[in-house]
Amino acid sequence: MKCIREIQLNQKLGRKQACSQGRSADEYRRRFVARDRQRLTGRPSRRHTRRMMKNNQTELTGLSQHSTGSAALSASSTVTSALRFGAQIATVGNCPNNASAPFSESAYRGVRAPVAVADDFLPHGIVDPDRFTNDPQHIRCTSLAISLFESIDQMRKRFNLVAKTSPNFKKKLVGMHCARLKLTSKDGRRTHAQPNGHFSFYQFETFDGVAAVVEVTSL
Amino acid sequence: MTMPKLKGTSLSTDLVNDHSHICDLINVEYPILSLYTDGRRNWIYLWCDRNDRGVNRWLIFPTTRDLLVGYLQKTAPMLTLVSEAETLWILENAGWDFAARREHVDSPSRQPRRHLYCVSIDQLSEYLPAKDSFFDETLTEDLDLTRQLVPMDFDLPIKGEWFSADFLYLFKRYERVYAFFYATRPRFVKSIDATLRYLLRSPWMGGFSRFNLFQHLNLRVPGLHALKVDELVYRSPGAIKFQAIPDIGESIQRAIALLMDDYEGVNEDCERIRKVLSSAHLNKVDLSKFSDAGVGLDETQLTGLHADCASIAKKLEVVEEIETLRTHSPNSVVYSKAVISFVRQLDKLVDLRRRGMLNF
């Protein structure tokens, strides 16, 4: 990361270059509006956020290309590139975290219809990224994984508990059916299960959710 | 996938614009049950329905402190809170974001299209929670049930001559300092911790980020623990009786008294911090993205900043709170600026005590 002195110097140089390049008044206005908006709201502009994300990605790519000295770093870069939604995962620091649990015989996921489709295996962070924009890092990371359960009973118990407060929860959100999946370490990485049986699964690029379904039963 | 039609009086969505998200009471894949506040009352948002076009329907209603405490202590089901609510509103909006939930929804053009209307409970049979819809802490990660939940009474002694403007001034200053203490200690609502971290990543280039810190933290205090005036009959001397978290009240009184006792010492520490920041021209630079290595201060200056902040913390007996600021700040410069702004807020209350209006 650049030093603040370097940034200040670059800003000064940039202003001089801009003047010498004869930028239009409109361009200056746009820049000042963005800057003022940032000052007033205390939040970076969308353009600034995009630029930061781009820089992060460049830094990560740079690291993976030049990290000959650090085996651990190159290993994590390799894993990140093998994961599906790798670009989004790369923007979240330290993600996935603690996702090295061994796979068990079966895993269970709620699906909307008796026949599972590819959309059933899309993480929330991909379907609705805006929902997680301002969430802490660990939540943004989890949003890029899909939720699975160790057993159908644990899943049923948890969904029924929520449905007591919100009766449409199963019918309209998580689905009235349960898909049993057979997963191996070739499909992705998973976290350790919580006491309620829930764990997060980060898919590899090669993972085919529909093909991994062994059977679909009613919840 | 359609939603049943509901009839009701249409309301302006401005009514929910001042609702701030406090925490989720049920979050399993989706935020199903959330707690909001308008700065006074607790508002419950219960997800009810969704159609093919991605429009979500929420049942929104205010609830009392007693009922909410009953729900969180598992003595009252959600059904009781719904049936005893004084008003029931339905909010329909595209997606999962309402304006108040997300900080980035800042311009009217980016706000999702919403529809708000008032309904009667007879129309909601399909959406009503079950009789045993009790709170279950395994369905949320936002709450720490080992912390104080039930608000209690405590006094703020006052005396002397008071005008209405003085009360306004006192409440404004007091609630900001109260919110600071609320956010910097482990609390029942864990999500305020993330808000503090987010606010400390503001630009901190001028006065706005300082103002923003206290103002936003105040908005994130749950209605359950907000400063509720329980009793106020004034004949000098007297007291304002608050119903909130008493140990925060004690901490504020102690910090005010200690600042008054060692005003010179604390001011010297603040001046030293200000000198370091102004000599390095860091007062108006956005440092939110930098760690200590990138702020352009040498080791001696950084150590000095930390020593001065620690000295202030020790003098005002707010070591735990200042330590939280340190761990949540992106670098030592933002940390120091936040400490100075806290002292400044406290100083406004010291001024009232100096004028003999606060009686402790």
Side-chain angles (χ1 to χ4, degrees), chain B residues 143-206:
Chain B
L143 300 179
D144 182 353
L145 293 174
T146 60
R147 305 290 165 187
Q148 183 171 3
L149 167 64
V150 185
M152 289 162 75
D153 287 348
F154 66 91
D155 287 345
L156 177 65
I158 55 174
K159 68 173 182 180
E161 202 170 48
W162 280 78
F163 292 88
S164 59
D166 296 324
F167 280 108
L168 290 178
Y169 182 83
L170 170 73
F171 287 141
K172 190 167 96 176
R173 298 296 166 193
Y174 196 84
E175 70 181 10
R176 284 184 188 175
V177 177
Y178 178 87
F180 175 85
F181 276 96
Y182 192 91
T184 49
R185 282 189 199 164
R187 290 286 164 217
F188 172 70
V189 176
K190 289 192 274 184
S191 47
I192 199 163
D193 201 55
T195 308
L196 179 65
R197 189 176 285 271
Y198 170 77
L199 291 170
L200 286 169
R201 272 149 186 79
S202 302
W204 288 84
M205 295 160 71

Side-chain angles (χ1 to χ4, degrees), chain A:
Chain A
M1 190 171 275
K2 286 181 183 173
C3 168
I4 186 67
R5 295 277 168 245
E6 211 177 317
I7 299 273
Q8 285 172 332
L9 192 63
N10 285 342
Q11 281 172 350
K12 280 183 188 168
L13 284 172
R15 273 200 291 276
K16 280 182 187 167
Q17 280 168 5
C19 293
S20 63
Q21 284 162 7
R23 282 185 181 148
S24 68
D26 275 352
E27 191 171 344
Y28 274 114
R29 201 173 297 123
R30 272 202 304 277
R31 277 167 176 249
F32 284 127
V33 167
R35 191 198 63 185
D36 288 347
R37 181 173 168 273
Q38 185 178 344
R39 283 181 180 174
L40 282 169
T41 58
R43 291 184 289 275
S45 64
R46 269 171 281 170
R47 180 190 287 183
H48 178 77
T49 312
R50 275 202 299 273
R51 200 182 300 147
M52 288 301 293
M53 283 175 70
K54 197 176 170 187
N55 286 347
N56 280 346
Q57 282 172 1
T58 316
E59 275 178 25
L60 278 169
T61 319
L63 281 172
S64 61
Q65 282 169 355
H66 301 294
S67 59
T68 47
S70 166
L73 193 58
S74 65
S76 73
S77 307
T78 315
V79 169
T80 303
S81 64
L83 287 171
R84 184 168 289 168
F85 318 118
Q88 289 87 339
I89 288 174
T91 62
V92 185
N94 195 22
C95 180
N97 188 20
N98 288 331
S100 52
F103 285 88
S104 47
E105 187 70 20
S106 300
Y108 297 84
R109 178 164 173 80
V111 292
R112 297 210 177 117
V115 180
V117 292
D119 279 1
D120 288 325
F121 301 96
L122 281 178
H124 294 304
I126 298 300
V127 177
D128 192 1
D130 280 352
R131 218 177 106 191
F132 304 94
T133 310
N134 288 320
D135 280 335
Q137 213 171 54
H138 71 280
I139 294 182
R140 279 189 286 138
C141 182
T142 315
S143 76
L144 296 166
I146 58 170
S147 291
L148 294 171
F149 285 84
E150 292 280 26
S151 80
I152 188 168
D153 288 337
Q154 286 170 320
M155 188 171 99
R156 198 175 278 146
K157 188 180 166 192
R158 195 163 167 81
F159 286 1
N160 286 342
L161 209 54
V162 181
K164 280 182 184 176
T165 303
S166 184
N168 277 333
F169 175 69
K170 281 199 286 183
K171 194 174 152 192
K172 299 280 181 88
L173 289 181
V174 289
M176 297 289 281
H177 299 85
C178 173
R180 183 162 75 86
L181 307 173
K182 186 159 175 58
L183 300 176
T184 66
S185 55
K186 287 176 185 170
D187 294 318
R189 295 171 62 185
R190 58 158 286 183
T191 59
H192 288 276
Q194 295 166 2
N196 57 30
H198 173 269
F199 65 92
S200 297
F201 172 67
Y202 296 87
Q203 312 166 23
F204 282 151
E205 282 285 7
T206 49
F207 173 68
D208 181 351
V210 178
V213 175
V214 179
E215 63 174 335
V216 178
T217 51
S218 184
L219 251 184

Side-chain angles (χ1 to χ4, degrees), chain B residues 331-358:
Chain B
N331 53 59
S332 304
V333 175
V334 170
Y335 162 52
S336 312
K337 286 180 179 179
V339 171
I340 289 181
S341 66
F342 165 66
V343 175
R344 208 179 144 160
Q345 290 294 330
L346 213 55
D347 192 26
K348 311 265 185 193
L349 293 172
V350 166
D351 189 43
L352 285 177
R353 196 184 160 198
R354 216 177 269 131
R355 283 155 55 192
M357 297 165 84
L358 294 181

